[in-house]
Amino acid sequence: MRGPGGQTLLVGFGLAAAVDLGSLAAGFTPGHTVAKPLLMPLLAAYVHARGGPRLLIAALLCGWGGDVLLLSDAEPAFLAGMGCFAAGHVCYLVLFGKRARQASASHGAADKGSPVVGERGSRARALRLPAVYALALVVAVAGLWPGLPADLRVPVAGYSALLTAMACSAARLGAVAGAGGALFVLSDMLIATGVAEWPQLPRPDLWIMLTYIAAQYLLARGVLRTLEAELPAPTGGGPVPATP
């Protein structure tokens, strides 16, 4: 941990999440309006305190921009918010790509000179998840397309492809980040079905925010976890930052 306030910031994030979700469950709009814009800045500050990478902080702050814009029901705000989240997904994609390349280089160096066992099976497993995500993307966009307003169809399709790529890439960092990516897809799918006027669960905003908050936390936690796993054990008994 880089700063002493890391745990306090995480608690603050948890409290803001509780207030936001409780307000949505109770139908108390002012509570949601106040708590929602606090979520991502608190999580980003926690990541910074843990020495997390700048791209992760940037992704979370892009999410904050989207959160604020989506407090408005106006279509221009919806499109601008989608743009903010898309920028965040680009940050995640670049970050996950860098982490995956570093991990691959490290494993390659460790395995140099050892026989390759089950290489074909490993490649098949590596292709399975992208295939599942690609199929889900096609099915979702095809199902939503007729119900979406004409001027939102192409932006939603493009955004959905970027989101799916992010979620698929997140899984390369491990189960925690992979779960975060999957929940992000679910959260945005709930938004899209609402725009397309599909039947909704009671209090749909509650389920959207619940899956979104969990997604962003798990993505952040998954990245921090991979960084912490690469650090040498502390020798002096003090805390070690998550990044060099």
Side-chain angles (χ1 to χ4, degrees):
M1 185 182 296
R2 180 175 291 171
Q7 198 63 31
T8 301
L9 290 164
L10 185 59
V11 170
F13 169 74
L15 289 174
V19 170
D20 187 54
L21 296 175
S23 297
L24 290 171
F28 182 58
T29 302
H32 172 62
T33 303
V34 171
K36 185 180 181 184
L38 298 175
L39 291 165
M40 292 306 107
L42 285 168
L43 185 56
Y46 167 71
V47 168
H48 175 71
R50 294 294 303 267
R54 293 176 184 174
L55 280 168
L56 176 55
I57 295 170
L60 295 172
L61 292 180
C62 286
W64 169 73
D67 290 344
V68 173
L69 287 164
L70 291 187
L71 286 171
S72 169
D73 294 328
E75 186 172 305
F78 179 81
L79 287 170
M82 190 189 303
C84 285
F85 284 117
H89 296 326
V90 171
C91 292
Y92 276 131
L93 276 168
V94 174
L95 174 61
F96 297 156
K98 288 174 65 176
R99 299 304 311 160
R101 286 192 297 272
Q102 290 170 2
S104 177
S106 175
H107 292 156
D111 297 338
K112 191 173 182 180
S114 63
V116 177
V117 179
E119 183 177 347
R120 190 172 299 173
S122 298
R123 288 178 179 175
R125 285 193 297 273
L127 292 173
R128 194 174 302 155
L129 184 61
V132 170
Y133 267 120
L135 177 61
L137 171 65
V138 171
V139 171
V141 171
L144 291 167
W145 192 269
L148 293 173
D151 57 340
L152 288 181
R153 286 173 179 171
V154 172
V156 167
Y159 173 83
S160 298
L162 183 60
L163 170 64
T164 303
M166 183 281 291
C168 188
S169 183
R172 298 164 70 185
L173 266 70
V176 174
L183 284 173
F184 217 133
V185 171
L186 176 58
S187 179
D188 281 3
M189 185 65 181
L190 292 173
I191 295 174
T193 56
V195 174
E197 298 184 351
W198 285 19
Q200 298 291 293
L201 294 168
R203 301 208 178 279
D205 287 348
L206 171 62
W207 304 109
I208 290 168
M209 285 304 298
L210 177 63
T211 49
Y212 167 71
I213 292 168
Q216 292 280 42
Y217 172 74
L218 289 173
L219 286 169
R221 183 64 197 129
V223 172
L224 292 175
R225 225 171 168 183
T226 62
L227 294 170
E228 290 163 356
E230 295 171 1
L231 291 174
T235 55
V240 176
T243 55

